Every structure is written in structure tokens, then in C-alpha cells.
Amino acid sequence: MERIWVVLAIVAAFGIRGTYEDIITIPKGVIDDHCNDTVDSPGDVEDAGYVQTQTDYTDFLTVDGDDEDADCSITLVAPANHKFLIQWTQPIDLEYDDGCQDWVRVHDGYANDTSLYPEGEMCIQASVEESDNLTKATTGNVVTVTVHTDSNDSDNNGFKLLYTVFYDPTNGTCSGSDFLCSNDQCVGESVKCDFQNHCGDNSDESTTRAGCIDLPDVVVQFITNVLKLSVGAFIGICVAVGLVLIFLIALCICCCCKCSGCCQGTRAAPV
């Protein structure tokens, strides 16, 4: 994905909101409204996407408004001989009280298969560094994400997971126009230069190997941090930016009106 499209996508996504009843994926929303479904159509499982919680600002951890414990799973199936690279773009922050009350589990396969992580049910991390340590690859072409909630509402931030579909090259060559990472993994051409580390070694964001536009580091870091935000935080920033823009426009109009009146008041009288 070209970087200009990422910037446009950020602008287009300003109005996104939802509830915790859904696990969703961006950019095309194949997981939205697919709780306990298997997504295995070639056109539905993207080269990469997000699995994340959303907030409706009121019942953040309520599933369908029920007071009973609820579970929501989504299974992604990539083409044969492909795997998933799983990364967490923000620390997991789910309800914890002498143990995980709400939790997320990632299965290395289907829902009955072994957890990808020895921790099993995960609900809290202290830092981004801990999230980085959770970067793992599946052993096969199937991954399942399960979220459990209890009967209590919560104002926790949830989680945001980035998945990337990859495969091993054949004789050092990827299929078609797919990109060969520096670590000898093949990823889709569409994930290059989108400010996300899909290769795992960040070579898909290289100005030399991937041919990405050379932008100032401060710009790259800003966009990267925005993409890591939860939906709620992202919307909050968008609203704040919108209010600032409205204020600046109003200020400009006011100044223009004052200047115009000032010019008319000081115009010389005809002789």
C-alpha cells in the first residue's frame, strides 16, 4: 500500500465506532459481525490486517448487552503453505482483579488447538516492550483469536493485534510481485511502505530495499504511533483535530472581516 493511501485512510477512518461484541479487522472489516465464524475465502483474508477491540464509550466490555459471560472467536485461514506473523501494536489492557476477568487467547490453529503463547489467557501488559516480546509466527496457515468477557463493565483499553500473512520463498524467490524481506520471508506487495513492520525486521519499510518514500523521521514516527492507537483514542484525536481546525477557520474569517472593515474605515475621502 502506498503511503499516500495510508494518510487518506486515516482521514477516512475518523468516524469509526462500534462495540466490544465485535472483533474487527482493518482495512476491509472481514471480522466485523463474524463472531464464531471462520474466514477462509481468498479474497477475505487480507495480506495483513488488525484484530482489535472497539468501544462505544458506554458499555466497553459488554457483549450484546448480556449480563452473562460471553465469548467471541474468529478463525482466519490463509492459503496452504502460508503462516501468520502476530504482533501487538499496543499493550493488552483487559479487566484484571486477582486474575484475568476478561481475556484474549490466540490459538495456533483452530479454537481447540494449543495457544500460541505459554501464558494462554492474556489480559494485561505493563509496556510496549512486553508487547514486542509477544511477536510470534504460527506453525501453520490457521490462527484463531478468542475474546472472553465477564458480566462487569470496564473502561480498559482492550487490545490491538496486527497479523501478516507470509510464506517461505522458493529458491530465494517470491511468487509474482510479492516482496522478499531481508529475513527471507515473502509478504504481499500491498503491505510495503504502509508504516507497519510486516516483515518482522522492518525491511518492508526500507527506502532502499522496498523503495519507500524517504520521509522525515518525525513524520514516520507520528503516523506509526497513530496506527498503533486503539479506536477510542484514535477517534478522540480526530475530534480534537477537527475542533482545532474549526477554531482556526473561524479565526481566519474573523480576521478577514476585521481587516476589510479597517480598510474601509481608513479610505481617503474624495476631494
Side-chain angles (χ1 to χ4, degrees):
M1 184 187 299
E2 296 297 331
R3 297 194 173 208
I4 183 64
W5 292 112
V6 174
V7 176
L8 292 176
I10 292 174
V11 176
F14 279 8
I16 294 176
R17 64 178 296 180
T19 63
Y20 194 86
E21 68 185 83
D22 298 322
I23 304 176
I24 72 160
T25 185
I26 297 175
K28 290 191 175 179
V30 298
I31 295 180
D32 194 16
D33 297 325
H34 284 280
C35 274
N36 305 319
D37 281 357
T38 297
V39 182
D40 54 7
S41 299
D44 287 340
V45 179
E46 299 288 327
D47 291 333
Y50 295 109
V51 179
Q52 66 184 61
T53 53
Q54 289 196 59
T55 175
D56 64 357
Y57 306 112
T58 53
D59 297 325
F60 185 41
L61 295 183
T62 297
V63 177
D64 289 332
D66 295 335
D67 291 331
E68 300 176 354
D69 290 357
D71 294 277
C72 180
S73 295
I74 179 67
T75 298
L76 299 176
V77 182
N81 300 318
H82 288 58
K83 300 177 182 179
F84 288 93
L85 179 67
I86 304 298
Q87 303 178 75
W88 303 80
T89 64
Q90 68 179 46
I92 300 171
D93 181 23
L94 299 173
E95 185 181 4
Y96 180 90
D97 184 11
D98 292 329
C100 292
Q101 307 303 309
D102 301 326
W103 49 259
V104 57
R105 179 194 289 267
V106 181
H107 303 267
D108 189 9
Y110 293 95
N112 293 327
D113 290 326
T114 305
S115 173
L116 187 62
Y117 301 98
E119 296 91 338
E121 300 167 357
M122 300 182 294
C123 60
I124 192 167
Q125 294 168 296
S127 65
V128 175
E129 288 72 22
E130 288 188 17
S131 300
D132 292 339
N133 293 334
L134 291 181
T135 297
K136 283 184 176 292
T138 61
T139 59
N141 66 321
V142 180
V143 65
T144 300
V145 180
T146 299
V147 177
H148 168 81
T149 64
D150 65 7
S151 59
N152 299 320
D153 292 343
S154 170
D155 59 357
N156 296 77
N157 294 321
F159 67 87
K160 189 171 184 179
L161 176 157
L162 172 67
Y163 72 83
T164 304
V165 178
F166 72 95
Y167 61 94
D168 296 326
T170 301
N171 298 323
T173 304
C174 299
S175 300
S177 61
D178 288 348
F179 177 71
L180 179 62
C181 305
S182 295
N183 57 10
D184 290 329
Q185 293 179 353
C186 295
V187 297
E189 173 75 13
S190 64
V191 305
K192 290 195 321 180
C193 307
D194 66 351
F195 301 96
Q196 296 286 9
N197 179 17
H198 294 289
C199 285
D201 62 4
N202 214 41
S203 56
D204 55 301
E205 300 302 310
S206 169
T207 57
T208 53
R209 188 179 185 90
C212 301
I213 298 175
D214 190 10
L215 297 174
D217 291 342
V218 63
V219 175
V220 174
Q221 191 61 46
F222 172 76
I223 297 178
T224 300
N225 289 337
V226 168
L227 291 174
K228 290 181 178 181
L229 292 174
S230 63
V231 173
F234 182 71
I235 293 174
I237 290 178
C238 293
V239 171
V241 171
L243 292 175
V244 170
L245 290 176
I246 292 173
F247 173 78
L248 291 176
I249 292 172
L251 185 63
C252 290
I253 293 174
C254 181
C255 290
C256 289
C257 290
K258 287 185 177 181
C259 289
S260 176
C262 185
C263 290
Q264 291 177 358
T266 56
R267 185 178 298 166
V271 177

